[in-house]
Each structure stands twice: as structure tokens, then as C-alpha cells.
């Protein structure tokens, strides 16, 4: 076989065997570019107005009353895309208590734009989709990341082998032949692949870089002895501070402004940490946000208990800056609105590339079957997996959003219940996939996604005071934009459902009819 033929086989099977998981990774990753906006939508109790000074003062008042003897406080400030401030505290360990046991304590509180504590529904928000695209769910994190890394490596193989296979790939990018069956699917697959080919390569490679210490630890172990020692050298822990005589917490807003002046114009603080707060020996650490630069490092600046700066911006080595820049490129947190849309559309092209490749496998081989109405078992498995993932996963994600709105606020472990509802919706979609005919299965899931997305803004209009028109009147454009996006996506899924119904019922092409007639004559 020629090089192109061998690469074609490699491209086909590397894409098929890992394609369903890659579709889920790409889809969840695409949604994650709007992580903050989705988190805003899932917590409608938070006001959009932000007064940073009042918020910080309110967080300190709350933490001073709620956790005066805590080991530390953390105040996570909102960015321009979100609302509300999350104040949390690290409790003092109980005698004999393991560190993992402390994670389950109720140790956080949302603060509104006026610095007052506010009750917010328990939800993972947009962070769930962000974690899903590399941690999966119901799977130990270590093994999930190993599997996702393996999928990413095969994605690189599929990208490179695809470029080698399609010698006319750039010419084919400008060619689309609708209603041509296999030819149309191949044209669509080529177009979505070439449209954002540099992005596909970048996002896959940098995804591996983000977890390179886990995938390839040998260099760090050879130089530092162990991975914990390597991480300790990269990010030294705060030295232990003994509890000291009581002292007031200094005003935090001027310290945040001083830290931002150190970082430079356009920078914004993301987090304020206090170690042993409320004592003479307390320390305040301010961490930088990632919205103003590509390299995603927090560049901590330290102040003592009197508000005097004791550590400014530290020099960073070239290796760390390179790693942080590659991670920043992958996450896209530095992107403004226009660039984030470019990220999103490029990632959506990658999602469609994977989906069209999976569907092309079945379309291409259906033409070769002796009887398309009675395919063999392997073909049926691939076809049903395509429907379950490509058609079922978007519907499952809307199940998460519906659970956010419909579950009672007092539900026990409510955040977990939202996630469980998503996977329950997906399980029902899989059962529908197995029970319904192919044409009905595709159309039913796509139309269900359309109706589900259309219903979300309608539900907000009926049940809440944060619907589309109310949000526009208040100037809360993030909430309004998310609801408008649901309506646009609903139209897109309705169009796909209509197209799937019409195309899946099409008669075989001329070549296929000739083969069927020849087989019947024999």
C-alpha cells in the first residue's frame, strides 16, 4: 500500500475508536469557553452590579463573624463576565481528622454586589462542563485524565494522518456538494477540519501540555526526586504562621489596587487570600486574574498584617512562562469577547468535524452493504453509538440546565443531583436510541434538544424575575445573552432534526440501485 493508503486506514480507525469520547470532550470544551456566563445563568440570585470595595468589606465582615479562628480565608472576586463574590474559609482541623474529611464541610458563602451574604442555589454551574471535558465523571480523576490524554494523542494522530490522506484537502475546502450522500458528508468533514486546522492542532497539543507532569513525569523525578518535590519547588507552600495577638484586618480594596498597579495597566485581581486572619502576624496574598495576558500565572503579591507590601512581582523562568502560555492558549481565559467567539466557533468546527467523521463511517459503509436494511452487528453498534453520543449528549446537557431550574433549592446534595439528572437524561436518550428506528432515533433526539433549549428561556419568563425582557431592562446582558443563545440553538437543532428526517428517508443512489438490481438478478 502507498503512504496515503496506510495513513487513510490510520486516520479512519484512530478517529472511530476514540471518536465518541472525543466528541464529548470537544462539545464540553466548546461550552466551557462560556464557563463564567453559564455559571452566571445557573445562579440567578446573584446581582450583576459589582462594587469591589463594598464587596470586600462585606466579605471580611461575614468571615470575621463566621470563622474568626480559621486557618485562612479566601475571597474569590468576580470578573466582568460574572457576578457575586465567593467567600470561603479553611477550618481548623479537628483532632484526628484527615485532610480529605475537611473538604466536605460547609465552608463558603456567596456575597452580593453590596457586600451582603446571599442565599444561592447549590450548583456546579459552568465549572461542571469545564471539568467534564478532561475529568469525565463517575470515574477516578487520575484514570479519567489518563484516558482523556490517550484520546488526545490519538486525536493528534488523526489530524496528521488526515492531512496526509487528503492531498486535495485545501481545494476540497472550497467545494461542497449538497444532497450527494457520502460525498456531502466528506465535503462537510473536510470543510470543518480545514476551517480551523491550526486551532485543532493547537487545542489538542496544548491540552496534553496542561497535564504533561502526569503523563511524562520522568524528567521532573530525575531532577527533583519525586513529583511532590517538583510541585513544591514550582509553587512553594506558605510558611506556617502561629496564631498571634488579635489585630484588625486592613482594608483590602487599597491593597488590591496596589497589587494591580504592580502588575501593570489592565490587570485585575482574581483572589484575595488571608493566612491566620485577625492576628498581628496575618498575611494577605493577592492573586492575579488571567484575562489580560496569555500566560496563565497568578503572580502572587504579599502584604503583612499592617497592609505593607512585603513581596512584589517575582521573576519567572522561561520554562514556566512557556508552560503557562501554552495552558493559557488552551483555556482562552485571556480572550476578549470577539476572540472568545473565534475560540468557540473553531471548537464547534472541531466538534462537527468529529461528528461528521463518525457519521461518514456509517454512510460510506452503508453503500457497500449487501442489504442496507439489515446491516451486520458491528455496523449497528457504530450507528447506535453515533446516535447516542452525537444526538444524545446535547440533550443530556440541557437536562442539567432544566434540573438547575426545577430542582427545589432545599434538595439534599443539590449540585450532585443536577449532574445526576444530566446522566439520567442521557441514559433515557440511549434507551430511545436502542428502541427506535434509525430515522426516528436521530430526529427524535435532535427535536427533543430543540424543544428543551426553547423551553428554558420560556420557563424563566414564566417562573422567575430574571427572564429575557427583565434582564434586558436591568442591563444584565449576560443573562439576556444566554437566553438568546438558547433560542438560537433551539432553531439550529430544529433545522438539524428536519434535515435528518428528510435525508434519512432518501432512497439509495443510482450506483446503489444498480448493485441491488444486479444482486436481485443473480
Amino acid at each position: 500500500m502507498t503512504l496515503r493508503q496506510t495513513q487513510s486506514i490510520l486516520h479512519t480507525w484512530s478517529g472511530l475508536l476514540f471518536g465518541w469520547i472525543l466528541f464529548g470532550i470537544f462539545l464540553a470544551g466548546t461550552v466551557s469557553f462560556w464557563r463564567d456566563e453559564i455559571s452566571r445563568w445557573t445562579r440567578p440570585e446573584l446581582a450583576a452590579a459589582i462594587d469591589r470595595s463594598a464587596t470586600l468589606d462585606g466579605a471580611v465582615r461575614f468571615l470575621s463573624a463566621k470563622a474568626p479562628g480559621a486557618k485562612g480565608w479566601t475571597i474569590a472576586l468576580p470578573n466582568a463576565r460574572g457576578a457575586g463574590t465567593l467567600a470561603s474559609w479553611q477550618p481548623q482541623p479537628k483532632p484526628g481528622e484527615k485532610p480529605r474529611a475537611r473538604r466536605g464541610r460547609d465552608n463558603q458563602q456567596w456575597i452580593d454586589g453590596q457586600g451582603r451574604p446571599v442565599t444561592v442555589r447549590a450548583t456546579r454551574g459552568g465549572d461542571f462542563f469545564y471539568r467534564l471535558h478532561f475529568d469525565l465523571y463517575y470515574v477516578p480523576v487520575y484514570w479519567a485524565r489518563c484516558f482523556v490524554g490517550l484520546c488526545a494523542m490519538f486525536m493528534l494522530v488523526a489530524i496528521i494522518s488526515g492531512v496526509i490522506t487528503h492531498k486535495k484537502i485545501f481545494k476540497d475546502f472550497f467545494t461542497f456538494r449538497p444532497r450527494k450522500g457520502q460525498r456531502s458528508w466528506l465535503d462537510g468533514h473536510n470543510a470543518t477540519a480545514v476551517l480551523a486546522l491550526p486551532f485543532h492542532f493547537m487545542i489538542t497539543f496544548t491540552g496534553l501540555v496542561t497535564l504533561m507532569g502526569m503523563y511524562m513525569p520522568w524528567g521532573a523525578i530525575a531532577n527533583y526526586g519525586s513529583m511532590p518535590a517538583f510541585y513544591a519547588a514550582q509553587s512553594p507552600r506558605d510558611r506556617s504562621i502561629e496564631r498571634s495577638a488579635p489585630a484588625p484586618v486592613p482594608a483590602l480594596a487599597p491593597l488590591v489596587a496596589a497589587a494591580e498597579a504592580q502588575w501593570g495597566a489592565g490587570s485585575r485581581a482574581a483572589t484575595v487570600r488571608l493566612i491566620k486572619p485577625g492576628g498581628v502576624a496575618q498575611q494577605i496574598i493577592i492573586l492575579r486574574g488571567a484575562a489580560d495576558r496569555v500566560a496563565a500565572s497568578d503572580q502572587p503579591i504579599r502584604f503583612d498584617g499592617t497592609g505593607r507590601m512585603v513581596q512584589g512581582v517575582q521573576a519567572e523562568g522561561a520554562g514556566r512562562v512557556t508552560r503557562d502560555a501554552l495552558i493559557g492558549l488552551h483555556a482562552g481565559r485571556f480572550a476578549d469577547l470577539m476572540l472568545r467567539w473565534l475560540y468557540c466557533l473553531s471548537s464547534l468546527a472541531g466538534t462537527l468535524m468529529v461528528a461528521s467523521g463518525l457519521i461518514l463511517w456509517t454512510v460510506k459503509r452503508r453503500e457497500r452493504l449487501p442489504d442496507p436494511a439489515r446491516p451486520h452487528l458491528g455496523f449497528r453498534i457504530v450507528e447506535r453509538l453515533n446516535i447516542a453520543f452525537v444526538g444524545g449528549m446535547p440533550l443530556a446537557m440541557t437536562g442539567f440546565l432544566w434540573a438547575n431550574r426545577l430542582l427545589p433549592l432545599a434538595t439534599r446534595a443539590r449540585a450532585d443531583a443536577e449532574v445526576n439528572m444530566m446522566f439520567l437524561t442521557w441514559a433515557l436518550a440511549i434507551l430511545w436510541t436502542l428502541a427506535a428506528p434509525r430515522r426516528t432515533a436521530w430526529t427524535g433526539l435532535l427535536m427533543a434538544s430543540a424543544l428543551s433549549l426553547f423551553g428554558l428561556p420560556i420557563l424563566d419568563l414564566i417562573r422567575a424575575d430574571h427572564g429575557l425582557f427583565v434582564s434586558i431592562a436591568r442591563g444584565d446582558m449576560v443573562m439576556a445573552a444566554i437566553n438568546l443563545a438558547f433560542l438560537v440553538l433551539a432553531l439550529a437543532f430544529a433545522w438539524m432534526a428536519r434535515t435528518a428526517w428528510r435525508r434519512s428517508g432518501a432512497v439509495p443512489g443510482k450506483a446503489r440501485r444498480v448493485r441491488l438490481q444486479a444482486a436481485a438478478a443473480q
Side-chain angles (χ1 to χ4, degrees):
M1 290 190 294
T2 65
L3 174 63
R4 288 185 59 249
Q5 289 173 324
T6 59
Q7 293 301 300
S8 177
I9 296 172
L10 181 62
H11 178 77
T12 297
W13 289 102
S14 60
L16 178 68
L17 295 177
F18 295 90
W20 300 291
I21 302 299
L22 285 169
F23 174 82
I25 293 170
F26 260 96
L27 181 59
T30 302
V31 173
S32 297
F33 288 123
W34 307 104
R35 170 185 176 185
D36 292 336
E37 288 79 5
I38 294 173
S39 293
R40 170 78 184 93
W41 185 87
T42 56
R43 298 185 180 99
E45 298 85 2
L46 294 173
I50 298 171
D51 182 339
R52 189 165 62 177
S53 179
T55 299
L56 286 168
D57 292 343
V60 170
R61 286 195 303 270
F62 172 81
L63 290 168
S64 298
K66 182 69 175 180
K71 291 181 64 177
W73 297 343
T74 301
I75 304 172
L77 298 170
N79 55 31
R81 298 160 55 193
T85 296
L86 185 61
S88 58
W89 58 96
Q90 184 182 5
Q92 292 288 352
K94 297 177 181 178
E97 184 181 38
K98 296 180 179 180
R100 286 183 177 272
R102 295 199 295 271
R103 298 178 185 176
R105 295 194 199 173
D106 184 13
N107 64 334
Q108 60 183 28
Q109 174 65 51
W110 284 95
I111 307 296
D112 67 11
Q114 287 71 46
R116 300 168 300 193
V118 59
T119 300
V120 177
R121 66 189 65 197
T123 178
R124 297 175 189 263
D127 291 343
F128 167 69
F129 297 113
Y130 168 72
R131 306 294 300 191
L132 179 67
H133 101 279
F134 63 94
D135 278 353
L136 306 182
Y137 203 74
Y138 301 125
V139 181
V141 169
Y142 176 81
W143 295 110
R145 293 184 178 184
C146 286
F147 182 62
V148 169
L150 180 66
C151 293
M153 287 184 235
F154 273 90
M155 181 68 186
L156 279 178
V157 170
I159 291 172
I160 296 170
S161 59
V163 172
I164 296 173
T165 299
H166 299 288
K167 61 180 181 180
K168 299 180 180 179
I169 188 169
F170 291 102
K171 177 182 178 181
D172 290 343
F173 170 67
F174 297 99
T175 303
F176 182 72
R177 287 151 284 196
R179 302 179 183 179
K180 298 293 183 181
Q182 175 187 333
R183 185 71 254 178
S184 299
W185 281 108
L186 182 58
D187 289 344
H189 182 66
N190 290 337
T192 52
V194 180
L195 177 66
L197 181 59
F199 175 86
H200 299 330
F201 186 86
M202 179 276 291
I203 208 71
T204 307
F205 176 73
T206 55
L208 288 168
V209 169
T210 60
L211 298 173
M212 63 183 179
M214 191 183 81
Y215 298 143
M216 302 181 68
W218 308 288
I221 292 173
N223 286 276
Y224 293 89
S226 67
M227 289 306 295
F230 168 71
Y231 291 130
Q234 291 292 311
S235 302
R237 292 187 177 183
D238 301 321
R239 63 183 179 85
S240 179
I241 301 174
E242 298 296 330
R243 178 63 60 183
S244 57
V249 176
L252 297 180
L255 305 187
V256 169
E260 291 174 348
Q262 278 280 313
W263 292 321
S267 62
R268 297 284 291 180
T271 307
V272 179
R273 293 177 51 209
L274 290 90
I275 303 172
K276 294 294 176 64
V280 173
Q282 65 188 334
Q283 288 191 6
I284 298 106
I285 304 172
I286 301 177
L287 307 179
R288 185 177 183 178
D292 63 311
R293 69 204 188 288
V294 175
S297 58
D298 49 26
Q299 295 185 330
I301 293 180
R302 295 173 181 264
F303 299 84
D304 64 15
T306 66
R308 179 175 63 89
M309 185 182 298
V310 295
Q311 177 186 306
V313 178
Q314 300 293 300
E316 297 177 324
R320 180 162 186 171
V321 171
T322 302
R323 185 204 64 175
D324 291 342
L326 291 173
I327 294 174
L329 279 173
H330 184 84
R333 297 189 185 99
F334 66 93
D336 59 14
L337 182 60
M338 293 300 295
L339 187 54
R340 197 176 311 117
W341 269 112
L342 183 59
Y343 259 88
C344 178
L345 294 175
S346 299
S347 186
L348 181 61
T351 308
L352 295 175
M353 173 187 68
V354 176
S356 61
L358 291 169
I359 296 172
L360 179 61
W361 192 94
T362 58
V363 171
K364 184 176 181 180
R365 280 153 184 79
R366 184 178 292 278
E367 290 285 329
R368 303 173 185 173
L369 293 174
D371 185 358
R374 296 179 181 178
H376 54 80
L377 178 62
F379 183 92
R380 293 201 304 272
I381 291 174
V382 172
E383 187 172 60
R384 295 297 162 167
L385 283 172
N386 285 349
I387 301 173
F389 275 82
V390 178
M393 188 173 178
L395 177 61
M397 293 169 75
T398 67
F400 173 90
L401 301 174
W402 275 93
N404 176 264
R405 286 296 189 258
L406 296 181
L407 285 176
L409 299 186
T411 300
R412 183 179 179 183
R414 190 181 186 279
D416 293 333
E418 289 182 357
V419 178
N420 293 335
M421 187 60 67
M422 168 182 161
F423 286 99
L424 177 60
T425 304
W426 202 352
L428 294 175
I430 293 172
L431 291 177
W432 167 260
T433 299
L434 297 175
R438 174 177 60 93
R439 184 185 189 191
T440 308
W442 271 117
T443 307
L445 291 179
L446 293 172
M447 185 54 69
S449 294
L451 295 174
S452 183
L453 286 163
F454 183 78
L456 286 168
I458 303 302
L459 181 67
D460 270 4
L461 285 174
I462 296 172
R463 295 192 54 185
D465 62 350
H466 45 261
L468 175 60
F469 302 115
V470 174
S471 298
I472 293 175
R474 291 177 177 174
D476 190 352
M477 301 313 297
V478 172
M479 288 288 287
I482 291 292
N483 281 314
L484 286 172
F486 289 153
L487 295 176
V488 173
L489 288 172
L491 292 174
F493 274 96
W495 174 80
M496 286 189 286
R498 177 176 177 271
T499 302
W501 178 260
R502 295 176 61 188
R503 295 289 180 267
S504 59
V507 298
K510 180 178 179 180
R512 179 70 193 128
R513 290 198 301 271
V514 170
R515 289 200 298 271
L516 288 176
Q517 292 170 0
Q522 293 177 358

